[in-house]
Every structure is written in C-alpha cells, then in structure tokens.
Amino acid sequence: MNPFQTLRFAFGGLAANKVRSVLTMLGVLIGVAAVILLLAVGNGSSAAVKASISSLGANALIVTSGTGNSAASTATSTEPLSVADAKALSDTTLAPDIKGIAPEVSTSGTAVHDGISHSVSSVIGTYPAYFEATNSKIAQGGYFTDDDVLNDRKVAVIGSTTATDLFGTVSPVGKTITIGSTPFTVVGELATKGSTGLTSADDVVVAPLTTIQNGFTGFGPLNQIVVEATSSSRITAVTQEISTILMNQHGITSASAADFQISSATSLLSTQASTTRTFTVLLGAVAAISLLVGGIGITNIMLVTVTERTREIGIRKAIGAPKGVILGQFLAEAILLSMLGAGLGVLVALFGTHFTIDGIKPVVMPSSVYGAFGVAVAIGLFFGSYPANRAASLRPIEALRHE
C-alpha cells in the first residue's frame, strides 16, 4: 500500500466516526490554541511594560530613599531625600555627566473644571527638567518654567487622559482646574504615553515643585529625584557620581551603608525581562498540560477504534496485509487527528490575538506557533503508536473470532 492509499484509508476511518473524530480534535485544538494565546499574552504584556519603561526616558535615572530591603545593605537608618540633595547633584563640577535634575513630590487628588470632576492618579510637583528627563512631549500649549517654580505660580501641565476626562475635545490650554482648594491654570497638555495596564502615565497633573509643596505635601522629604544623564552611554558614570555626592550629603562612608537606591530604564528593563520570562514559561507550562490531555484523548479514541475494527483488521491480515500496513494506517489516523486539531488550533489562536485581553494586546511569537503545531503532531504520533502497534500485532485468527 502506497502512502496515498494509506492516507485515503485513514481519512475514511476518521470520516466513518465524524462526531468522535471532531471531539478528539477539539482536545488538541484547545491545547494548541491555549499555548499560542497564553504565550502571546505574556509576550504582549512584556512589550507593553518595555514600552512603558522606555517611555520614561533612556537617559533617566530615578533616585529613591531607602535600601529596598536589600540583604547586602548595612544601613542602620535612612535619611530622606531633600531639595538640598537635588541641588548638590546639580553641581556640574562634581557631576559633569548629569544634564538635568528634577526633584519630585507626588500626591493624588480630584481635579474639577466647570462642574466636571476627575480623580487624578498622580499630582506631581517638580522642576521643568522633569519633562525632558522623562521624555514627556507636549501635545499643545507649553511647559511651565523655572520662573514659575521660583514664584510659586499655580500653573500645571496635564496628561492626555486628564484632559479628555475634564475637557473632552476642547483644548484645555488657558482653562482653570481646581484641585482641593487650589486653582491651576493649564499651560499645556502632554502627548499620550500609554499605559502598562496597571498604571497610566497619561492620568497626571504636573505643577511647579513649590506650588505642590505649599498647597499639598508640605516642605518635607522628596518622593524621588529624577536625574538625566548627558547620554545613555554615561549611565554608569552618572550612577557613580550620584552615589558619591549623596553619600557625602548623608555622611555615609561605605557604599554598602547607602540609604538610597538608583535605578535606570536599563536596570528596570533587565528586571522586567527576567520577571516576564518566568511568567511566560509558567503560562506555557499550564497550556502544555491541556495539550497533553488532548494527546491522551487520541490514545483513548484510537484504542476504541482498534477494538471496534478488530474483525476488519483480521480480514485484512488474512488476505495478506503485512503488519507495517496495519501499523501505518492507524498511525496515519492518529497523526491526522492531531494535525487537523493543531491546524484549527493555530487558526483559533491567531483569531483570538486580534482581541485585547484585560488591556493587553497579545503579540504572537512565531516560534510558539511552529512549536505548538510540531509538539501536537509529535504527541499524536507518540500517543497513537500504542493503539496502532496493538492493532498491527493482532493474530488474524483471534481477530476474526472477535465479536
């Protein structure tokens, strides 16, 4: 029997029990679709977080207070970051690789305009250097200036989400919003930066540092200091300069006793990549279990098929069909079931990736498509080999006596 005849017999066998064949393929379909879709969601989540971190600014470093519960730290106390620390970092003699400094305090609040209220995720007080350091482009209007900071002016630049919720399609520039009891004149609207699905960089109000300190947070410690390096190649040098200056400011003599942390987009991306890789492998492992269950379903159905067709096998062997032909026929049926199920699973998964899942746009990994399809076919071959071998090993006389 040539391969074409083997395939024809295999198709005929599957067509004889259409419902059973479809239900068996459904198990493989679900397994393949789950593997591709879940890996696509993991990949999409990674891409969204990566884009969000990159939007912070490739040259930006974030200085925060505390040790982050580092086991290697010998710090016995933590001195909060202050405006004096930020001013020390702006000394170009001690820090020639630092381009800009933006001390930052933040709070939250409800912005109101013309009877419309919007709960703002972040109300940030900072210097104008914040915008360049965090890669915050202006969509309309302009930024506030150093003169606004010095004179404690009540002006603000708002994010695109805040602008849409308060003003709709009308330009917010020149309008007044009120946060608490403080009125702010909107001088600019930021371009959309996107969201990670957990936080939004567009739901923000940015105002002069002195204005926010005076009206909301008080003149206490800073939440963080945003530092802009002269170039991405100077990140390491800037990290060293920040460490040296802040250790001197805080009276610290050992680097292990530092009571502050420095992070950059590069370090955040590295951490994010490691976390996402673990998350994606976990998703793939969970989905692979359903693919395994589909393979077990193939074994079950093929065993039933062999039992039902025992007399047919006996007749074929009695008229001279060799063992290899019987083996090839049932193996072909098992592989066809897995191939058709896997192919439909790929189509379902590709269709599913057109939808946004919980704010995350799935991004298909080509390797997951080829891998899931190949593994499904291999599973069909593996799980179909036992029933096929059982059929091929039947003795003609016993098969013909089977009721």
Side-chain angles (χ1 to χ4, degrees), residues 143-201:
Y143 303 114
F144 57 78
T145 64
D146 289 326
D147 192 53
D148 294 324
V149 178
L150 289 173
N151 291 285
D152 186 22
R153 292 197 179 104
K154 296 179 177 58
V155 293
V157 178
I158 64 177
S160 58
T161 299
T162 308
T164 301
D165 285 358
L166 287 176
F167 300 96
T169 57
V170 178
S171 172
V173 178
K175 307 289 193 308
T176 300
I177 61 173
T178 302
I179 302 177
S181 59
T182 305
F184 289 87
T185 300
V186 178
V187 296
E189 177 187 342
L190 296 174
T192 300
K193 295 183 75 173
S195 162
T196 63
L198 300 176
T199 59
S200 172

Side-chain angles (χ1 to χ4, degrees), residues 5-266:
Q5 289 175 317
T6 301
L7 276 177
R8 187 166 61 83
F9 270 95
F11 271 115
L14 296 180
N17 296 283
K18 294 185 180 66
V19 175
R20 192 163 66 193
S21 299
V22 169
L23 291 176
T24 305
M25 285 190 291
L26 191 60
V28 180
L29 183 155
I30 292 172
V32 170
V35 168
I36 297 173
L37 263 179
L38 289 180
L39 290 180
V41 169
N43 194 34
S45 174
S46 172
V49 175
K50 185 178 180 181
S52 179
I53 293 174
S54 298
S55 71
L56 294 176
N59 300 342
L61 295 94
I62 308 295
V63 184
T64 54
S65 182
T67 62
N69 297 321
S70 170
S73 176
T74 60
T76 56
S77 61
T78 300
E79 182 177 333
L81 296 173
S82 65
V83 174
D85 291 333
K87 289 181 178 177
L89 292 173
S90 63
D91 187 335
T92 54
T93 304
L94 298 175
D97 296 302
I98 292 179
K99 183 179 180 181
I101 297 293
E104 181 182 325
V105 294
S106 63
T107 183
S108 59
T110 300
V112 180
H113 169 74
D114 198 20
I116 301 173
S117 64
H118 169 73
S119 181
V120 183
S121 300
S122 298
V123 179
I124 296 173
T126 186
Y127 287 176
Y130 169 88
F131 298 107
E132 183 175 350
T134 59
N135 195 29
S136 299
K137 307 294 184 185
I138 205 76
Q140 55 181 322
Y143 303 114
F144 57 78
T145 64
D146 289 326
D147 192 53
D148 294 324
V149 178
L150 289 173
N151 291 285
D152 186 22
R153 292 197 179 104
K154 296 179 177 58
V155 293
V157 178
I158 64 177
S160 58
T161 299
T162 308
T164 301
D165 285 358
L166 287 176
F167 300 96
T169 57
V170 178
S171 172
V173 178
K175 307 289 193 308
T176 300
I177 61 173
T178 302
I179 302 177
S181 59
T182 305
F184 289 87
T185 300
V186 178
V187 296
E189 177 187 342
L190 296 174
T192 300
K193 295 183 75 173
S195 162
T196 63
L198 300 176
T199 59
S200 172
D202 302 318
D203 189 15
V204 64
V205 171
V206 187
L209 176 69
T210 49
T211 306
I212 299 300
Q213 287 180 316
N214 194 36
F216 299 91
T217 65
F219 293 87
L222 302 173
N223 291 90
Q224 62 184 25
I225 300 174
V226 181
V227 179
E228 184 184 10
T230 51
S231 71
S232 57
S233 63
R234 304 305 298 168
I235 293 292
T236 303
V238 170
T239 302
Q240 185 57 47
E241 291 167 5
I242 294 172
S243 295
T244 302
I245 293 172
L246 290 186
M247 286 173 62
N248 185 51
Q249 283 284 116
H250 295 185
I252 298 170
T253 56
S254 171
S256 63
D259 58 355
F260 54 85
Q261 298 179 83
I262 306 168
S263 57
S264 65
T266 303

Side-chain angles (χ1 to χ4, degrees), residues 280-294:
T280 303
V281 169
L282 180 63
L283 287 178
V286 171
I289 292 174
S290 60
L291 196 55
L292 185 64
V293 172

